[in-house]
mmCIF file of all heavy atoms in Angstrom:
data_model
loop_
_atom_site.group_PDB
_atom_site.id
_atom_site.type_symbol
_atom_site.label_atom_id
_atom_site.label_comp_id
_atom_site.label_asym_id
_atom_site.label_seq_id
_atom_site.Cartn_x
_atom_site.Cartn_y
_atom_site.Cartn_z
ATOM 1 N N GLU A 1 2.615 6.666 5.142
ATOM 2 C CA GLU A 1 1.991 7.201 3.930
ATOM 3 C C GLU A 1 2.097 6.251 2.743
ATOM 4 O O GLU A 1 1.369 6.383 1.767
ATOM 5 C CB GLU A 1 2.615 8.543 3.566
ATOM 6 C CG GLU A 1 4.094 8.464 3.218
ATOM 7 C CD GLU A 1 4.655 9.779 2.695
ATOM 8 O OE1 GLU A 1 3.863 10.613 2.220
ATOM 9 O OE2 GLU A 1 5.884 9.952 2.757
ATOM 10 N N LEU A 2 3.001 5.288 2.802
ATOM 11 C CA LEU A 2 3.180 4.364 1.683
ATOM 12 C C LEU A 2 2.100 3.294 1.625
ATOM 13 O O LEU A 2 1.819 2.751 0.552
ATOM 14 C CB LEU A 2 4.548 3.674 1.769
ATOM 15 C CG LEU A 2 5.750 4.406 1.163
ATOM 16 C CD1 LEU A 2 6.030 5.708 1.887
ATOM 17 C CD2 LEU A 2 6.981 3.500 1.176
ATOM 18 N N LEU A 3 1.508 2.955 2.750
ATOM 19 C CA LEU A 3 0.720 1.729 2.854
ATOM 20 C C LEU A 3 -0.442 1.661 1.869
ATOM 21 O O LEU A 3 -0.724 0.585 1.330
ATOM 22 C CB LEU A 3 0.218 1.549 4.290
ATOM 23 C CG LEU A 3 1.299 1.428 5.364
ATOM 24 C CD1 LEU A 3 0.662 1.227 6.735
ATOM 25 C CD2 LEU A 3 2.275 0.301 5.047
ATOM 26 N N CYS A 4 -1.118 2.780 1.631
ATOM 27 C CA CYS A 4 -2.296 2.770 0.762
ATOM 28 C C CYS A 4 -2.096 3.559 -0.525
ATOM 29 O O CYS A 4 -3.061 3.798 -1.262
ATOM 30 C CB CYS A 4 -3.504 3.326 1.518
ATOM 31 S SG CYS A 4 -3.934 2.395 2.995
ATOM 32 N N ASP A 5 -0.868 3.958 -0.809
ATOM 33 C CA ASP A 5 -0.579 4.777 -1.982
ATOM 34 C C ASP A 5 0.217 3.956 -2.999
ATOM 35 O O ASP A 5 1.396 3.670 -2.781
ATOM 36 C CB ASP A 5 0.212 6.017 -1.553
ATOM 37 C CG ASP A 5 0.335 7.045 -2.668
ATOM 38 O OD1 ASP A 5 0.646 6.653 -3.813
ATOM 39 O OD2 ASP A 5 0.158 8.249 -2.390
ATOM 40 N N GLU A 6 -0.424 3.590 -4.115
ATOM 41 C CA GLU A 6 0.202 2.715 -5.095
ATOM 42 C C GLU A 6 1.467 3.323 -5.699
ATOM 43 O O GLU A 6 2.411 2.602 -6.032
ATOM 44 C CB GLU A 6 -0.791 2.375 -6.211
ATOM 45 C CG GLU A 6 -1.965 1.536 -5.741
ATOM 46 C CD GLU A 6 -2.838 1.086 -6.895
ATOM 47 O OE1 GLU A 6 -2.431 1.269 -8.072
ATOM 48 O OE2 GLU A 6 -3.922 0.533 -6.626
ATOM 49 N N ASP A 7 1.486 4.629 -5.864
ATOM 50 C CA ASP A 7 2.672 5.271 -6.431
ATOM 51 C C ASP A 7 3.838 5.242 -5.451
ATOM 52 O O ASP A 7 4.979 4.952 -5.829
ATOM 53 C CB ASP A 7 2.362 6.715 -6.826
ATOM 54 C CG ASP A 7 1.386 6.798 -7.991
ATOM 55 O OD1 ASP A 7 1.428 5.902 -8.853
ATOM 56 O OD2 ASP A 7 0.586 7.745 -8.030
ATOM 57 N N LYS A 8 3.547 5.510 -4.192
ATOM 58 C CA LYS A 8 4.610 5.586 -3.199
ATOM 59 C C LYS A 8 5.105 4.217 -2.756
ATOM 60 O O LYS A 8 6.277 4.062 -2.392
ATOM 61 C CB LYS A 8 4.150 6.402 -1.989
ATOM 62 C CG LYS A 8 3.919 7.872 -2.320
ATOM 63 C CD LYS A 8 3.413 8.646 -1.119
ATOM 64 C CE LYS A 8 3.194 10.115 -1.485
ATOM 65 N NZ LYS A 8 2.656 10.904 -0.349
ATOM 66 N N ASN A 9 4.237 3.201 -2.755
ATOM 67 C CA ASN A 9 4.678 1.872 -2.303
ATOM 68 C C ASN A 9 5.109 0.972 -3.459
ATOM 69 O O ASN A 9 5.376 -0.211 -3.262
ATOM 70 C CB ASN A 9 3.615 1.179 -1.441
ATOM 71 C CG ASN A 9 2.332 0.832 -2.181
ATOM 72 O OD1 ASN A 9 2.335 0.512 -3.369
ATOM 73 N ND2 ASN A 9 1.203 0.880 -1.467
ATOM 74 N N ALA A 10 5.197 1.557 -4.677
ATOM 75 C CA ALA A 10 5.705 0.852 -5.860
ATOM 76 C C ALA A 10 4.827 -0.331 -6.271
ATOM 77 O O ALA A 10 5.311 -1.287 -6.884
ATOM 78 C CB ALA A 10 7.147 0.392 -5.646
ATOM 79 N N TYR A 11 3.537 -0.257 -5.971
ATOM 80 C CA TYR A 11 2.617 -1.342 -6.313
ATOM 81 C C TYR A 11 2.599 -1.583 -7.817
ATOM 82 O O TYR A 11 2.492 -0.652 -8.619
ATOM 83 C CB TYR A 11 1.209 -1.001 -5.829
ATOM 84 C CG TYR A 11 0.199 -2.089 -6.048
ATOM 85 C CD1 TYR A 11 0.120 -3.162 -5.163
ATOM 86 C CD2 TYR A 11 -0.682 -2.060 -7.125
ATOM 87 C CE1 TYR A 11 -0.812 -4.171 -5.353
ATOM 88 C CE2 TYR A 11 -1.617 -3.065 -7.322
ATOM 89 C CZ TYR A 11 -1.670 -4.125 -6.430
ATOM 90 O OH TYR A 11 -2.590 -5.132 -6.613
ATOM 91 N N ASP A 12 2.717 -2.844 -8.194
ATOM 92 C CA ASP A 12 2.712 -3.223 -9.607
ATOM 93 C C ASP A 12 1.589 -4.228 -9.830
ATOM 94 O O ASP A 12 1.716 -5.405 -9.462
ATOM 95 C CB ASP A 12 4.058 -3.838 -9.994
ATOM 96 C CG ASP A 12 4.161 -4.127 -11.486
ATOM 97 O OD1 ASP A 12 3.118 -4.122 -12.173
ATOM 98 O OD2 ASP A 12 5.286 -4.379 -11.958
ATOM 99 N N PRO A 13 0.477 -3.818 -10.432
ATOM 100 C CA PRO A 13 -0.648 -4.734 -10.635
ATOM 101 C C PRO A 13 -0.325 -5.895 -11.560
ATOM 102 O O PRO A 13 -1.020 -6.917 -11.545
ATOM 103 C CB PRO A 13 -1.734 -3.825 -11.232
ATOM 104 C CG PRO A 13 -0.987 -2.692 -11.847
ATOM 105 C CD PRO A 13 0.214 -2.478 -10.984
ATOM 106 N N ASN A 14 0.722 -5.765 -12.351
ATOM 107 C CA ASN A 14 1.109 -6.858 -13.240
ATOM 108 C C ASN A 14 1.856 -7.958 -12.501
ATOM 109 O O ASN A 14 1.998 -9.071 -13.027
ATOM 110 C CB ASN A 14 1.989 -6.319 -14.372
ATOM 111 C CG ASN A 14 1.253 -5.349 -15.269
ATOM 112 O OD1 ASN A 14 0.141 -5.618 -15.694
ATOM 113 N ND2 ASN A 14 1.877 -4.208 -15.541
ATOM 114 N N CYS A 15 2.341 -7.658 -11.309
ATOM 115 C CA CYS A 15 3.104 -8.632 -10.517
ATOM 116 C C CYS A 15 2.363 -9.087 -9.262
ATOM 117 O O CYS A 15 2.588 -10.199 -8.785
ATOM 118 C CB CYS A 15 4.456 -8.043 -10.099
ATOM 119 S SG CYS A 15 5.562 -7.694 -11.466
ATOM 120 N N ALA A 16 1.509 -8.235 -8.741
ATOM 121 C CA ALA A 16 0.887 -8.508 -7.453
ATOM 122 C C ALA A 16 -0.360 -9.378 -7.597
ATOM 123 O O ALA A 16 -1.137 -9.218 -8.535
ATOM 124 C CB ALA A 16 0.531 -7.204 -6.768
ATOM 125 N N SER A 17 -0.556 -10.290 -6.652
ATOM 126 C CA SER A 17 -1.776 -11.093 -6.614
ATOM 127 C C SER A 17 -2.792 -10.530 -5.629
ATOM 128 O O SER A 17 -3.991 -10.793 -5.754
ATOM 129 C CB SER A 17 -1.447 -12.542 -6.245
ATOM 130 O OG SER A 17 -0.862 -12.619 -4.954
ATOM 131 N N LEU A 18 -2.331 -9.747 -4.662
ATOM 132 C CA LEU A 18 -3.210 -9.122 -3.682
ATOM 133 C C LEU A 18 -3.402 -7.652 -4.031
ATOM 134 O O LEU A 18 -2.522 -7.019 -4.613
ATOM 135 C CB LEU A 18 -2.611 -9.233 -2.276
ATOM 136 C CG LEU A 18 -2.492 -10.642 -1.683
ATOM 137 C CD1 LEU A 18 -1.676 -10.616 -0.397
ATOM 138 C CD2 LEU A 18 -3.874 -11.222 -1.418
ATOM 139 N N PRO A 19 -4.555 -7.077 -3.683
ATOM 140 C CA PRO A 19 -4.790 -5.662 -3.982
ATOM 141 C C PRO A 19 -3.990 -4.752 -3.058
ATOM 142 O O PRO A 19 -3.581 -5.155 -1.960
ATOM 143 C CB PRO A 19 -6.294 -5.507 -3.742
ATOM 144 C CG PRO A 19 -6.617 -6.551 -2.717
ATOM 145 C CD PRO A 19 -5.726 -7.719 -3.046
ATOM 146 N N CYS A 20 -3.788 -3.535 -3.494
ATOM 147 C CA CYS A 20 -3.168 -2.541 -2.632
ATOM 148 C C CYS A 20 -4.117 -2.247 -1.466
ATOM 149 O O CYS A 20 -5.332 -2.153 -1.660
ATOM 150 C CB CYS A 20 -2.886 -1.266 -3.416
ATOM 151 S SG CYS A 20 -1.969 -0.010 -2.509
ATOM 152 N N PRO A 21 -3.612 -2.122 -0.256
ATOM 153 C CA PRO A 21 -4.489 -1.866 0.898
ATOM 154 C C PRO A 21 -5.283 -0.568 0.760
ATOM 155 O O PRO A 21 -4.853 0.384 0.106
ATOM 156 C CB PRO A 21 -3.504 -1.777 2.074
ATOM 157 C CG PRO A 21 -2.298 -2.509 1.625
ATOM 158 C CD PRO A 21 -2.207 -2.276 0.144
ATOM 159 N N VAL A 22 -6.438 -0.565 1.419
ATOM 160 C CA VAL A 22 -7.291 0.618 1.513
ATOM 161 C C VAL A 22 -7.618 0.833 2.985
ATOM 162 O O VAL A 22 -7.880 -0.126 3.722
ATOM 163 C CB VAL A 22 -8.591 0.433 0.697
ATOM 164 C CG1 VAL A 22 -9.516 1.630 0.885
ATOM 165 C CG2 VAL A 22 -8.277 0.215 -0.779
ATOM 166 N N ASP A 23 -7.566 2.072 3.426
ATOM 167 C CA ASP A 23 -7.873 2.392 4.830
ATOM 168 C C ASP A 23 -7.042 1.545 5.790
ATOM 169 O O ASP A 23 -7.547 0.972 6.751
ATOM 170 C CB ASP A 23 -9.366 2.180 5.124
ATOM 171 C CG ASP A 23 -10.243 3.102 4.294
ATOM 172 O OD1 ASP A 23 -9.825 4.234 4.044
ATOM 173 O OD2 ASP A 23 -11.346 2.670 3.909
ATOM 174 N N PHE A 24 -5.766 1.471 5.503
ATOM 175 C CA PHE A 24 -4.840 0.665 6.313
ATOM 176 C C PHE A 24 -3.915 1.611 7.067
ATOM 177 O O PHE A 24 -3.103 2.312 6.480
ATOM 178 C CB PHE A 24 -4.033 -0.253 5.401
ATOM 179 C CG PHE A 24 -3.057 -1.160 6.095
ATOM 180 C CD1 PHE A 24 -3.244 -1.562 7.403
ATOM 181 C CD2 PHE A 24 -1.938 -1.622 5.422
ATOM 182 C CE1 PHE A 24 -2.350 -2.411 8.029
ATOM 183 C CE2 PHE A 24 -1.028 -2.470 6.035
ATOM 184 C CZ PHE A 24 -1.238 -2.856 7.337
ATOM 185 N N GLU A 25 -4.051 1.618 8.385
ATOM 186 C CA GLU A 25 -3.204 2.462 9.220
ATOM 187 C C GLU A 25 -2.579 1.598 10.307
ATOM 188 O O GLU A 25 -3.279 1.002 11.130
ATOM 189 C CB GLU A 25 -3.992 3.608 9.842
ATOM 190 C CG GLU A 25 -3.112 4.604 10.571
ATOM 191 C CD GLU A 25 -3.865 5.862 10.965
ATOM 192 O OE1 GLU A 25 -4.958 6.102 10.443
ATOM 193 O OE2 GLU A 25 -3.345 6.602 11.825
ATOM 194 N N ALA A 26 -1.261 1.512 10.297
ATOM 195 C CA ALA A 26 -0.547 0.669 11.251
ATOM 196 C C ALA A 26 -0.164 1.465 12.493
ATOM 197 O O ALA A 26 -0.189 2.699 12.506
ATOM 198 C CB ALA A 26 0.703 0.090 10.594
ATOM 199 N N GLU A 27 0.204 0.728 13.537
ATOM 200 C CA GLU A 27 0.744 1.359 14.740
ATOM 201 C C GLU A 27 2.136 1.897 14.436
ATOM 202 O O GLU A 27 2.870 1.324 13.618
ATOM 203 C CB GLU A 27 0.823 0.339 15.880
ATOM 204 C CG GLU A 27 -0.496 -0.313 16.243
ATOM 205 C CD GLU A 27 -1.447 0.642 16.924
ATOM 206 O OE1 GLU A 27 -0.970 1.572 17.597
ATOM 207 O OE2 GLU A 27 -2.675 0.460 16.766
ATOM 208 N N GLU A 28 2.514 2.981 15.101
ATOM 209 C CA GLU A 28 3.809 3.584 14.845
ATOM 210 C C GLU A 28 4.884 2.981 15.748
ATOM 211 O O GLU A 28 4.691 2.836 16.954
ATOM 212 C CB GLU A 28 3.737 5.107 15.058
ATOM 213 C CG GLU A 28 2.868 5.800 14.025
ATOM 214 C CD GLU A 28 2.936 7.316 14.118
ATOM 215 O OE1 GLU A 28 3.536 7.825 15.091
ATOM 216 O OE2 GLU A 28 2.415 7.972 13.218
ATOM 217 N N LEU A 29 6.000 2.645 15.134
ATOM 218 C CA LEU A 29 7.123 2.079 15.864
ATOM 219 C C LEU A 29 7.829 3.139 16.700
ATOM 220 O O LEU A 29 7.933 4.300 16.301
ATOM 221 C CB LEU A 29 8.133 1.473 14.891
ATOM 222 C CG LEU A 29 7.750 0.165 14.223
ATOM 223 C CD1 LEU A 29 8.654 -0.083 13.024
ATOM 224 C CD2 LEU A 29 7.845 -0.993 15.210
#
């Protein structure tokens, strides 16, 4: 649930050079 949610993954647009992912679903470990 963190991968595409800026609030949950602590995304900081002032620090990041890459955008937050969209429609990103990884395989489950």
Side-chain angles (χ1 to χ4, degrees):
E1 63 173 338
L2 274 64
L3 299 181
C4 300
D5 190 314
E6 294 187 10
D7 293 327
K8 293 178 180 178
N9 65 33
Y11 184 81
D12 186 345
N14 296 313
C15 295
S17 62
L18 294 171
C20 186
V22 176
D23 298 325
F24 181 26
E25 187 170 345
E27 302 289 331
E28 293 187 352
L29 287 164

